Amino acid sequence: MPENPNQPREYDAVLGGDRPPPINAVVLGGLEGVKRRLASTQEAQRILALNDALKYGESGLDLVIQALQDKSGGVRRAANSLLRTKTETKVKIALEKYNPYQFFECLHTFEGHSLGVNSVAIAPNGKTVVSGSGDETIKVWDIETGECQRTLYGHSEDIVSLAIAPNSKTIVSGSMHYTIKVWDIMTGNCQRTLEMDSDLFSVAIAPNGKTIVSGSYDNAIKVWDIETGECQRTLHGHSSYVSSVAISPDGKTIVSGSRDKTIKVWDILTSKSLGTLHGHSDVVRSVAIDPNAKTIISASDDKTIKVWDILTGKSLGTLHGHSEDVVSVAIAPDAKTIVSGSKDNTIFVWGLVTGESLRTLEGHLDAVTSVAIAPDGRTIVSGSYDKTIKVWGMR
C-alpha cells in the first residue's frame, strides 16, 4: 500500500501529539515551536530550544531570561551562559538578580602536595592558583589545565598563608617558622625574606602592591615595605594571637581577627584602632572585607560567620549552617556572595543580603582550610587537609 504523503513520518517533528521530537529533528512552528520545546519534560530538549530562541529577537530573548527560573539546574546554567554574551539592559538586570554560585560544581582537582594544603590564592589575572602546604612547599598551578607549573622551596616549616600581588607577578608567603618570603611567580625565585619575632598566621598585600601586613603569635600586626623588607610599624591591641588579617580595597584600613574572639579595625597609616567588634564566642579564624569597603565578614571556631558594618561596628547578621569550626571566608567581587570553608569538609555559598545558604559544595575528604574567589567571580578555589586543591565553577 503506498505511503500517505500527508501523514507524518517517524522522524518528522510536529506541534501536536504527546511524543517529543527527537533531539536532532528540525522543529517546525518558529517561536511557537521553541515555546513548546521549552515546555518539554526532557532537559536536553529545553536546552536546545534556548539556543534556537535567540533567533527570534526580543521575544526569544525573553524566553531565555525566563529560563533562569527553570526547575532544572542544567537549563538555568545554559540560560545563564547564553545571556552573558548579551549586552541588553534587561539582560544585565536579570543577571544581577541571578546568582550562578548555586549551580557550581567541582571542575578540577589538583594533586601534588604530600601534606595538607593550608592556604590557596588566585592571581588577579584569574589564570593562576597558588597553594601552600604543611609539606613546606608552594605550588603554582594553571587554573584551566591543572598543570603544576613550578614548586617553590625555601621555607622550613608549614606554609600557613599566601597572597598574590595585584600585578599577578609576586607571591608573598608566611610560614610558622618566623618568616615571610617574597617570590617571583614566573621564575620561582625568592626575592627576599622578612624575619619575624614570632610564629606567623596570616599575610595580606595592599592594593598598591607595595605593602605587606602580617598577623602573628605575639598578638601583633606588622606593616612591611615589600621592596625593602623593612617593618614600618607594629599595631598592638589584641590580647591573644592574630589569626587573620585583611586590607581594604583603598589600602587605608586593616581588619584583624584573633584568638581573643574579637575583630579589630585599624588605620594603616596612623596605626590607631578604629574599633573592636565583639560577638564571636571562640577564635576568629578568618576575616574579609567586601569590595566596597562597607562590610566585614568573619569566620570562627564557634561554627558561625558574622557580617559587620565596617564604619559602625554593628553586627548585621550571623550565618549558621556549618557543623564544625569555620576556618576560611571570602567575598565575591559582586559583594553579594560569601564563600566559607569548614572543618566539616564542606564549602558553603551564602547570599550576603539574605544570609541564606545557596549551595553546599562537597568533595573534600578532610577540613577545608582555605577558600578564594576569582576576580571575575566565576570560579572558587579551595584547599584542604586532604592534600588537594579543588576548582569549582559552572561547566
Side-chain angles (χ1 to χ4, degrees), residues 18-274:
D18 297 325
R19 182 178 179 179
I23 291 177
N24 293 324
V26 176
V27 179
L28 305 179
L31 186 61
E32 289 304 313
V34 171
K35 291 179 179 178
R36 179 175 177 80
R37 292 159 67 200
L38 286 172
S40 169
T41 58
Q42 297 182 13
E43 181 186 79
Q45 284 281 11
R46 300 205 298 281
I47 291 174
L48 286 174
L50 289 177
N51 288 278
D52 289 337
L54 294 180
K55 301 174 183 177
Y56 298 97
E58 292 294 315
S59 297
L61 187 61
D62 289 340
L63 292 177
V64 180
I65 291 174
Q66 292 170 20
L68 289 173
Q69 308 303 321
D70 193 275
K71 62 184 179 180
S72 160
V75 174
R76 293 195 296 267
R77 284 193 291 270
N80 174 73
S81 179
L82 289 170
L83 291 173
R84 287 196 175 279
T85 66
K86 301 298 177 182
T87 58
E88 289 85 345
T89 300
K90 64 180 177 181
V91 171
K92 293 180 179 180
I93 293 173
L95 289 177
E96 285 179 358
K97 297 178 180 179
Y98 171 81
N99 193 313
Y101 292 95
Q102 59 189 302
F103 308 115
F104 272 30
E105 55 188 287
C106 185
L107 303 179
H108 308 290
T109 299
F110 303 163
E111 298 179 343
H113 285 293
S114 60
L115 291 174
V117 177
N118 296 320
S119 183
V120 294
I122 305 175
N125 63 16
K127 298 178 180 180
T128 304
V129 174
V130 174
S131 58
S133 167
D135 64 14
E136 303 173 8
T137 70
I138 299 161
K139 289 185 179 291
V140 181
W141 311 82
D142 183 294
I143 198 169
E144 292 292 335
T145 67
E147 175 190 2
C148 181
Q149 298 175 320
R150 60 194 58 86
T151 300
L152 315 185
Y153 300 91
H155 283 293
S156 58
E157 285 285 348
D158 293 20
I159 292 145
V160 294
S161 186
L162 293 169
I164 304 178
N167 63 8
S168 297
K169 297 179 180 180
T170 303
I171 302 170
V172 171
S173 60
S175 165
M176 286 290 288
H177 191 59
Y178 302 180
T179 58
I180 298 169
K181 288 183 179 292
V182 181
W183 310 80
D184 183 299
I185 200 169
M186 296 303 297
T187 65
N189 293 332
C190 180
Q191 298 174 323
R192 63 193 55 84
T193 299
L194 287 55
E195 299 294 341
M196 300 282 294
D197 300 322
S198 178
D199 288 347
L200 182 136
F201 288 100
S202 182
V203 293
I205 302 179
N208 63 12
K210 299 178 180 179
T211 303
I212 300 170
V213 172
S214 64
S216 53
Y217 191 77
D218 58 4
N219 309 350
I221 297 147
K222 291 183 181 295
V223 180
W224 308 80
D225 184 294
I226 198 169
E227 291 294 333
T228 66
E230 176 189 357
C231 179
Q232 299 175 318
R233 60 191 72 90
T234 301
L235 285 56
H236 296 284
H238 283 292
S239 60
S240 188
Y241 67 74
V242 179
S243 51
S244 182
V245 290
I247 306 175
S248 63
D250 61 9
K252 297 179 180 179
T253 305
I254 298 171
V255 172
S256 57
S258 169
R259 186 178 180 272
D260 66 14
K261 308 175 189 178
T262 71
I263 298 112
K264 286 185 177 290
V265 183
W266 310 82
D267 185 297
I268 197 169
L269 293 178
T270 66
S271 303
K272 291 183 178 179
S273 174
L274 303 177

Side-chain angles (χ1 to χ4, degrees), residues 370-390:
S370 183
V371 292
I373 306 176
D376 64 3
R378 304 188 70 178
T379 305
I380 296 169
V381 173
S382 58
S384 168
Y385 282 156
D386 67 10
K387 309 175 189 177
T388 70
I389 299 101
K390 289 185 180 291

